[in-house]
Amino acid sequence: MLIGNYPDRVAAASVIAGQLGNHGIQVSVIEQTNDAFADSFNNKAYEAMITGIHTGFSPKVTALFGEDNIANYSSENLNNIIASIRTDTEYVKQKENYNKLYDEYLNSFPYIFLYRETGSVIYNQTLCGKISPNAYSMFYNIEKWYRQ
């Protein structure tokens, strides 16, 4: 199920459904309106979902792995790791906890991320220098830009 007004997501989901079908796994791509999608999502009326989500570049781990997450995924070990992330303030412990979270993800794969949409920068050919926008800022390295 996915919202029908995202043609790139509908196309990606259709390709994935076809590929899975070649391996005997039946997948139905259901295009829905915003309201119907919200109802299905909130009622957890799905077994698996090929969809897109909008997140920041540093989303909270609870959005994907906490209680009531999009994949209906839960794990006692994961809940303990998230509890440690919330309470440990020491940098080394935090890093260990995030590494444990990553390992838990690799062992269970509740999500398979396909792509991240990016923006474009349009500029005139008289703008020169090291123009290298990234996901965090379209003005990255602006101090190295100049007009010809």
Side-chain angles (χ1 to χ4, degrees), residues 45-92:
Y46 54 89
E47 288 181 41
M49 185 186 321
I50 300 172
T51 190
I53 57 174
H54 292 281
T55 62
F57 287 100
S58 183
K60 293 181 179 180
V61 296
T62 54
L64 297 174
F65 299 109
E67 291 181 27
D68 202 31
N69 61 68
I70 190 172
N72 293 327
Y73 175 74
S74 67
S75 153
E76 186 176 337
N77 188 37
L78 186 70
N79 293 339
N80 292 336
I81 294 168
I82 290 174
S84 294
I85 287 171
R86 288 183 174 147
T87 57
D88 289 334
T89 57
E90 185 183 328
Y91 173 77
V92 174

Side-chain angles (χ1 to χ4, degrees), residues 7-8 10 16 26 37 59 105 114 119 128:
D8 57 332
V10 172
I16 292 166
Q26 183 180 352
F37 178 86
Y105 167 77
L114 301 177
C128 301

